[in-house]
Amino acid sequence: MTSAELAKPSRKQRVRTLWISDVHLGTRDCQAEHLSQFLKGYHADRIYLVGDIIDGWKLRSGMYWPQAHTNVIRRLLTMSKRGTEVIYVTGNHDEFLRRYSKLMLGNIQLVDEAVHVTADGRHLLVIHGDQFDVITRYHRWLAFLGDSAYEFTLTLNRWLNHWRARYGYGYWSLSAYLKHKVKTAVSFISDFEEAIAHECVKRELHGVVCGHIHHAEIRKVGEVDYLNCGDWVESCTALIEHWDGSIELYRLADAQAREAELKAIKVAEPA
């Protein structure tokens, strides 16, 4: 059984909403196979694509688009045809789409931001989040430089997990580990969270769902519900709203661990 297969839920679940962000289709580090398997496991009334789904920055410098990336697009189109409302929220890596904001094609809508009302009545701002990143907004050359350094880290991450898989170990994110260890990265994440939470207070909203910083989290920032989707290049995470309005953070690593544990239990059971 492959690690992508382990990411698939044991049965299809009917959920109210899915949020995914920072897929970066068009890059070698996009974990499209895992995402396709994840999407196949759910029936959702609505799915938000919370920015950086397609990496326009990378595609400018060279074309990389394997079949697995096409499969993600096809899966989303299939969900749309079957009644799922797909709302594509633009990000900085797919900013070329911002000129087409408010475009609607059947069940697919392109926007720069949205407000989602949960089943329990909370109003959540859905936005990629680059608007609250000082480096992205005012020091674009630093953003491109940081993107190159991040890409190098992801390359190391890819090789590391290749060898971990060969020796039977689960997925582990090197870049996520470094983020937690480097004080400046921790400070940046905290500043980002505070800035976006302040915007919610100004708009009198209950919370925010965002992406951009590749750091999945559900927590309170003051009185604001802060929910970050994470990404599908290193941590492979998503947010899931259930029918009672509760929102769950899905992590590929946790799903793999549960599947491995269940497999071990079945092997240990007497025939």
Side-chain angles (χ1 to χ4, degrees), residues 175-189:
S175 46
Y177 172 79
L178 292 176
K179 279 181 189 176
H180 286 294
K181 290 297 181 182
V182 179
K183 288 184 179 180
T184 52
V186 173
S187 176
F188 168 78
I189 290 170

Side-chain angles (χ1 to χ4, degrees), residues 26-217:
T27 67
R28 294 184 183 278
D29 295 294
C30 168
Q31 304 212 37
E33 296 91 346
H34 290 313
L35 178 55
S36 291
Q37 291 294 339
F38 169 77
L39 292 173
K40 284 179 183 178
Y42 294 91
H43 290 296
D45 280 7
R46 182 178 291 114
I47 180 168
Y48 288 93
L49 308 175
V50 193
D52 286 4
I53 304 303
I54 299 171
D55 197 319
W57 291 11
K58 194 63 179 176
L59 289 174
R60 285 188 205 136
S61 60
M63 192 66 183
Y64 176 79
W65 196 275
Q67 183 62 42
H69 294 203
T70 299
N71 292 343
V72 170
I73 300 296
R74 291 177 65 182
R75 173 53 48 186
L76 291 168
L77 291 174
T78 297
M79 294 175 76
S80 173
K81 287 179 182 178
R82 293 176 179 173
T84 297
E85 182 182 1
V86 178
I87 301 173
Y88 192 130
V89 180
T90 58
N92 55 307
H93 280 257
D94 45 23
E95 62 188 352
F96 64 92
L97 294 173
R98 284 179 171 163
R99 70 186 72 174
Y100 307 112
S101 292
K102 300 182 181 179
L103 177 68
M104 293 191 68
L105 296 170
N107 269 348
I108 302 175
Q109 183 178 0
L110 186 67
V111 298
D112 291 333
E113 61 179 62
V115 174
H116 175 78
V117 182
T118 63
D120 56 5
R122 288 175 293 161
H123 288 67
L124 305 178
L125 174 64
V126 183
I127 192 167
H128 180 62
D130 58 290
Q131 301 90 335
F132 303 92
D133 179 350
V134 173
I135 292 175
T136 299
R137 290 188 65 185
Y138 302 112
H139 304 286
R140 193 171 176 82
W141 67 274
L142 274 176
F144 279 104
L145 180 63
D147 192 59
S148 297
Y150 180 62
E151 185 179 344
F152 174 72
T153 305
L154 290 178
T155 300
L156 292 178
N157 196 68
R158 186 168 66 243
W159 282 104
L160 174 64
N161 279 288
H162 167 76
W163 288 105
R164 283 176 64 88
R166 289 196 64 174
Y167 286 99
Y169 292 99
Y171 181 81
W172 181 74
S173 175
L174 170 64
S175 46
Y177 172 79
L178 292 176
K179 279 181 189 176
H180 286 294
K181 290 297 181 182
V182 179
K183 288 184 179 180
T184 52
V186 173
S187 176
F188 168 78
I189 290 170
S190 178
D191 291 345
F192 174 84
E193 293 172 349
E194 292 288 344
I196 207 166
H198 180 67
E199 181 67 17
C200 289
V201 172
K202 282 174 56 180
R203 300 195 194 188
E204 298 183 345
L205 297 170
H206 297 100
V208 61
V209 177
C210 59
H212 185 57
I213 60 173
H214 294 208
H215 182 70
E217 192 166 21

